[in-house]
Amino acid sequence: MVDDLRARCPWLGIAPAAVFLDDAARAALAPYVAGVQHVAAAIDVDWTRVDLAAGTALFRARIADAHPELDAQALDALAAQFSYAWR
């Protein structure tokens, strides 16, 4: 997940522990990534009630609830992408 985001968003930087996947591994993970993206796209933030920081925290919490297997680094990358997209 983090690898996929970093490939498209170089501003996120590269962590020393980042693992870059070859095309076969990326293709094998594509259904899982699509599932996470589906959950992310379904998260509705009421921007009339929250600011960007609170909306991003809400997004991160909902992704964490839906996908408890994601580690803090993956959640941070997803939240950073969400925040960047809404700026």
Side-chain angles (χ1 to χ4, degrees), residues 28-87:
L29 285 175
Y32 172 75
V33 171
V36 174
Q37 290 172 334
H38 179 74
V39 168
I43 296 171
D44 187 28
V45 176
D46 183 352
W47 294 112
T48 64
R49 295 178 173 253
V50 297
D51 62 10
L52 183 60
T56 300
L58 176 67
F59 173 86
R60 189 184 190 283
R62 288 187 181 164
I63 289 288
D65 287 345
H67 288 279
E69 74 282 2
L70 293 174
D71 65 13
Q73 184 182 11
L75 292 169
D76 288 348
L78 289 166
Q81 174 59 31
F82 176 83
S83 177
Y84 180 79
W86 279 100
R87 284 186 197 168

Side-chain angles (χ1 to χ4, degrees), residues 12-41:
L12 283 174
I14 296 176
V19 175
F20 292 92
L21 305 174
D22 61 26
D23 290 339
R26 188 180 300 270
L29 285 175
Y32 172 75
V33 171
V36 174
Q37 290 172 334
H38 179 74
V39 168

